[in-house]
Amino acid sequence: MAGTIEVLVPGGQANPGPPLGPELGPTPVDVQAVVSQINEETAAFDGTEVPVTVEYEDDGSFTIEVGVPPTAELIKDEAGFDTGSGEPQENFVADLTVEQVKQIADQKQSDLLAYDLKNAAKEVVGTCTSLGVTIEGENPREFKQRIDDGEYDDTFADEAAA
């Protein structure tokens, strides 16, 4: 009867209701214990949708694996908006600082295809392009070109190399 449940929950705000409760109800685990542990482990993402995997055994034991929220969710949370632009090349909905781009890239790096922070930042900037988010008032495509040109090499240098 052991199994796995995968759900998206708001960080730090999971509860025994849907989507978690109905999935966990028929299992031998203590639902409230699972919810408490999920809230503890996702508190840093405060309200942002976070992918969570719960693996449980027949004896009621369980393990929880917390994923990283989608890049778009991190950008929305950081910039403080709910919906991307319907015309992302013309109507911009928010603006991020270089430091915010670096922070998001750092959070997502383990989840991205990028092999270093600079390339992770370029992936984040790519998502900004499709959401209609500027970086320090600049079109994300122009900002990405400046990253490619080496203007931000110091900013996006991997901490381990520094």
Side-chain angles (χ1 to χ4, degrees), residues 142-156:
E142 293 167 15
F143 183 79
K144 182 186 166 296
Q145 185 59 52
R146 290 175 57 196
I147 292 174
D148 287 339
D149 292 344
E151 281 187 49
Y152 293 97
D153 283 357
D154 289 347
T155 305
F156 296 118

Side-chain angles (χ1 to χ4, degrees), residues 61-83:
S61 63
F62 63 90
T63 57
I64 293 174
E65 188 178 308
V66 176
V68 180
T71 305
E73 288 298 319
L74 292 173
I75 291 169
K76 288 177 188 177
D77 189 49
E78 193 63 39
F81 67 96
D82 294 326
T83 309

Side-chain angles (χ1 to χ4, degrees), residues 48-158:
T48 303
E49 293 285 308
V50 183
V52 175
T53 303
V54 179
E55 292 184 9
Y56 60 89
E57 300 298 329
D58 292 334
D59 64 1
S61 63
F62 63 90
T63 57
I64 293 174
E65 188 178 308
V66 176
V68 180
T71 305
E73 288 298 319
L74 292 173
I75 291 169
K76 288 177 188 177
D77 189 49
E78 193 63 39
F81 67 96
D82 294 326
T83 309
S85 173
E87 299 174 319
Q89 298 309 311
E90 291 142 34
N91 297 323
F92 297 104
V93 294
D95 187 57
L96 291 176
T97 65
V98 174
E99 206 48 50
Q100 288 172 310
V101 170
K102 180 180 178 182
Q103 179 183 332
I104 294 166
D106 206 33
Q107 287 178 312
K108 281 296 287 186
Q109 189 171 359
S110 64
D111 221 28
L112 297 173
L113 299 173
Y115 52 87
D116 62 14
L117 190 59
K118 179 178 176 178
N119 284 293
K122 286 165 52 176
E123 287 192 43
V124 171
V125 170
T127 304
C128 287
T129 303
S130 61
L131 287 173
V133 175
T134 56
I135 293 102
E136 297 199 343
E138 188 172 16
N139 184 308
R141 289 185 173 158
E142 293 167 15
F143 183 79
K144 182 186 166 296
Q145 185 59 52
R146 290 175 57 196
I147 292 174
D148 287 339
D149 292 344
E151 281 187 49
Y152 293 97
D153 283 357
D154 289 347
T155 305
F156 296 118
D158 280 320

Side-chain angles (χ1 to χ4, degrees), residues 7-32:
V7 291
L8 271 177
V9 297
Q13 299 171 13
N15 63 58
L20 219 41
E23 292 282 339
L24 291 171
T27 70
V29 301
D30 176 352
V31 175
Q32 197 54 51

